[in-house]
Amino acid sequence: MTKLTSSVNGHPRAASEPIWEYAPAPEARNIVKIQPQYGLFINGQFVEPQSGCYFPTLSPSSEERLSEVAWAGAEDVNSAVQAARNAYESVWRKMPGKERAKYLFRIARLLQERSREFAVLESLDGGKPIRESRDVDIPLAAAHFFYYAGWADKLEYAFQGRRPEPLGVAGQIIPWNFPLLMASWKIAPALACGNTVVLKPAETTPLTALLLCEIFQQADLPPGVVNMITGDGETGAHLVNHPDVDKIAFTGSTEVGKRIQRSIAGSRKKLTLELGGKAANVIFEDAALDQAVEGIVNGIYFNQGHVCCAGSRLLVEESVYEVVKRKLKRRIELLRVGDPLDKNTDIGAINSKAQWEKIVALTQTGVEEGATLHQSSCVLPERGYWFRPTFFTEVAVSHTIAREEIFGPVLAVLSFRTPEEAAQLANNTRYGLSAGVWTEKGSKYLAFASRLKAGVVWCNTYNKFDPASPFGGYKESGFGREGGVHGLSAYTRVG
Ligand code: ADP
């Protein structure tokens, strides 16, 4: 370890103060073999798309073309749904729960065995730091398969004497922020309950979902139980509107979620939506402030703010507002922005050019509307899509940056005087996915948390997940729950 005086290994030095810098510690990239081209995974095999079309997937940290993947048109979606229907009728719905469980356990174990491969691929394709993909995404994905494997033969106990039946074919559409984890959140409970699946990953991050298909082959999962169709919004719309799909599970933007809800209204399809968020992190004056600031940083900057439950609004009690602001300013200077494959990196690349442009535009709006901008002075790599850790003070509740989901490392800081005002500010949003409370008093956080209209409220921590805990939103953050025993309801019909 050396004391740094200039930029090193893509981890530029903060201009205002010297920081202790680590030697480069890149994870070996060659652990994962990326094919030059991927077909669609239908009926247990990779097949060429009937559409004849492919599209590239890039690494957002280098703009390097990693591979090209098939684009599924209406006919391809139809083949995938047919394969899922056949597997449902002929094998999966009839299989005893304890047999289904064995497949889920096997998938979980294989994910653990190949976890480094998955972590490297996730960071390459999505831009997130390897520390996050290695320590959060991949272990949690395996944990979801383990957890739901445990439920597969105990479903009648989950519904207290009522008989749960699978729904049939589940169409699942996921976003780019946690590609493998979102796929696992969706696939594991669906399979545990006896459904079969057609899943569409996001267009910018298809690679770990496709690697997961190799695991399905290794685990000898019966053909057609899970089918993977890569493509864009049009592919997703074909899946949503397919007449032989019984259930749609969607995670993504509120705008697309509303469109999906409209297009299946009146059909027999069951729907769960996990949409946007504008979470408030609330710091009371009695909180352990250093710990709170660390939690705020974890909640908005790690993973580039690419989390629907990101703590993108910070509400600070007025008496500690200046202290928190100072600590935050110092802390963002110390965050290391750079190569996602380096184990010392705190903040990786923004997932795509389109997302980067959106973050830039919303940040510009923040400045134009009169809020004060604070940004880390770090130097960004020349290639790829990057954004400095940023926060705004002098923010009014009417400002766009206090209302709109930015989905980037940008925090809006406001102050409050009383718990009533804090609750009112925290709930003053069209979303209701998550929130955080920081106080040393147990009675205070319990009382305060119960006033927040959010699916999850973390106390003295943030962004903590467990497969046994349900996750989902209020208001325009969607409906239905994923995870835990609640997550089984989304994939069953109870008699
Ligand atoms: P984000 O803003 O996070 O990219 P989107 O809602 O645009 O979120 O995308 C989330 C997922 O929804 C992606 O897999 C995308 O391809 C898919 N998608 C986009 N538009 C539609 C649509 N009209 N119908 C179904 N899926 C869609």
Side-chain angles (χ1 to χ4, degrees):
M1 206 162 77
T2 49
K3 199 168 188 186
L4 200 142
T5 49
S6 63
S7 168
V8 165
N9 348 308
H11 292 301
R13 178 180 73 89
S16 57
E17 61 180 314
I19 63 169
W20 291 96
E21 189 56 87
Y22 296 99
E27 183 68 60
R29 180 187 162 145
N30 59 7
I31 188 164
V32 61
K33 231 200 190 97
I34 303 176
Q35 311 292 340
Q37 192 182 71
Y38 289 88
L40 304 167
F41 187 71
I42 297 179
N43 211 23
Q45 285 181 2
F46 285 96
V47 295
E48 286 191 13
Q50 294 168 68
S51 71
C53 301
Y54 289 83
F55 62 97
T57 182
L58 307 180
S59 170
S61 58
S62 63
E63 296 171 63
E64 171 200 359
R65 187 186 172 112
L66 294 171
S67 180
E68 60 173 27
V69 299
W71 179 82
E75 288 177 339
D76 298 298
V77 173
N78 190 40
S79 303
V81 173
Q82 268 180 15
R85 174 62 59 191
N86 290 343
Y88 176 70
E89 298 295 348
S90 62
V91 190
W92 202 246
R93 71 178 300 184
K94 296 191 232 162
M95 189 181 281
K98 69 178 194 325
E99 295 303 318
R100 289 201 303 271
K102 288 180 192 166
Y103 288 101
L104 292 172
F105 271 121
R106 218 177 283 166
I107 293 164
R109 291 297 304 274
L110 287 164
L111 269 175
Q112 285 185 321
E113 272 176 31
R114 297 179 66 177
S115 60
R116 273 183 65 202
E117 228 177 302
F118 275 95
V120 169
L121 191 58
E122 202 72 301
S123 289
L124 273 174
D125 202 22
K128 64 168 61 188
I130 188 79
R131 218 173 51 199
E132 168 125 352
S133 44
R134 180 196 64 192
D135 298 347
V136 179
D137 294 57
I138 314 305
L140 268 177
H144 266 81
F145 278 102
F146 276 123
Y147 177 80
Y148 282 108
W151 272 119
D153 61 346
K154 303 176 196 70
L155 293 176
E156 61 270 36
Y157 300 106
F159 298 97
Q160 302 192 347
R162 295 163 76 199
R163 219 178 121 75
E165 296 287 344
L167 299 172
V169 175
Q172 307 181 324
I173 298 170
I174 58 171
W176 44 260
N177 57 346
F178 289 89
L180 182 76
L181 183 57
M182 287 299 113
S184 307
W185 273 29
K186 296 224 169 347
I187 294 171
L191 298 196
C193 294
N195 305 275
T196 56
V197 164
V198 178
L199 185 138
K200 193 196 87 62
E203 44 272 57
T204 57
T205 53
L207 295 184
T208 47
L210 293 166
L211 189 60
L212 183 61
C213 297
E214 281 184 26
I215 296 251
F216 297 146
Q217 289 177 324
Q218 256 184 297
D220 276 333
L221 188 71
V225 171
V226 179
N227 305 273
M228 204 70 78
I229 47 165
T230 41
D232 56 5
E234 193 181 327
T235 309
H238 287 312
L239 181 57
V240 166
N241 295 319
H242 195 289
D244 203 24
V245 167
D246 300 289
K247 146 106 199 172
I248 293 293
F250 172 79
T251 299
S253 61
T254 296
E255 183 199 336
V256 173
K258 285 182 181 176
R259 203 176 307 157
I260 289 175
Q261 194 174 13
R262 274 196 297 272
S263 66
I264 66 170
S267 78
R268 67 187 162 81
K269 290 172 193 166
K270 202 167 163 173
L271 177 66
T272 42
L273 296 175
E274 201 256 274
L275 309 175
K278 191 72 188 173
N281 239 322
V282 182
I283 302 186
F284 285 101
E285 64 176 4
D286 60 277
L289 294 184
D290 285 326
Q291 185 187 328
V293 167
E294 208 47 41
I296 305 312
V297 165
N298 173 31
I300 183 68
Y301 298 125
F302 293 168
N303 201 16
Q304 305 75 248
H306 290 345
V307 194
C308 37
C309 54
S312 55
R313 289 181 299 153
L314 173 60
L315 312 181
V316 188
E317 191 155 2
E318 204 174 69
S319 49
V320 291
Y321 179 79
E322 288 301 327
V323 187
V324 168
K325 188 168 118 184
R326 212 168 47 240
K327 284 179 186 290
L328 196 59
K329 215 169 157 54
R330 180 171 184 280
R331 186 66 183 93
I332 63 168
E333 279 295 333
L334 301 176
L335 292 171
R336 294 173 168 85
V337 183
D339 181 6
L341 286 190
D342 194 312
K343 298 177 199 97
N344 297 322
T345 294
D346 295 312
I347 303 184
I350 300 303
N351 183 262
S352 64
K353 187 156 188 268
Q355 187 56 29
W356 178 83
E357 283 168 352
K358 191 178 154 203
I359 297 168
V360 170
L362 280 163
T363 304
Q364 185 57 32
T365 306
V367 174
E368 283 162 10
E369 290 182 355
T372 305
L373 176 83
H374 306 265
Q375 267 186 329
S376 154
S377 58
C378 66
V379 182
L380 301 176
E382 273 169 24
R383 284 186 72 89
Y385 316 123
W386 306 93
F387 202 83
R388 295 191 174 88
T390 299
F391 71 91
F392 280 101
T393 54
E394 279 70 57
V395 178
V397 284
S398 57
H399 285 168
T400 307
I401 50 164
R403 290 184 290 109
E404 295 298 321
E405 187 177 37
I406 301 176
F407 231 70
V410 182
L411 177 68
V413 187
L414 296 99
S415 66
F416 67 88
R417 290 184 182 166
T418 62
E420 287 66 37
E421 190 188 358
Q424 192 265 330
L425 281 171
N427 290 331
N428 185 11
T429 164
R430 63 191 172 110
Y431 298 112
L433 195 55
S434 58
V437 187
W438 299 84
T439 164
E440 288 294 90
K441 294 199 181 78
S443 56
K444 194 166 174 177
Y445 66 61
L446 287 172
F448 188 74
S450 65
R451 300 170 69 169
L452 299 180
K453 292 191 179 61
V456 56
V457 181
W458 286 289
C459 295
N460 293 334
T461 186
Y462 207 81
N463 270 350
K464 288 279 176 275
F465 291 94
D466 187 283
S469 297
F471 184 82
Y474 282 77
K475 301 192 272 185
E476 292 190 28
S477 290
F479 48 80
R481 295 291 177 263
E482 292 185 300
V485 67
H486 302 69
L488 298 168
S489 307
Y491 289 98
T492 47
R493 189 175 293 112
V494 278

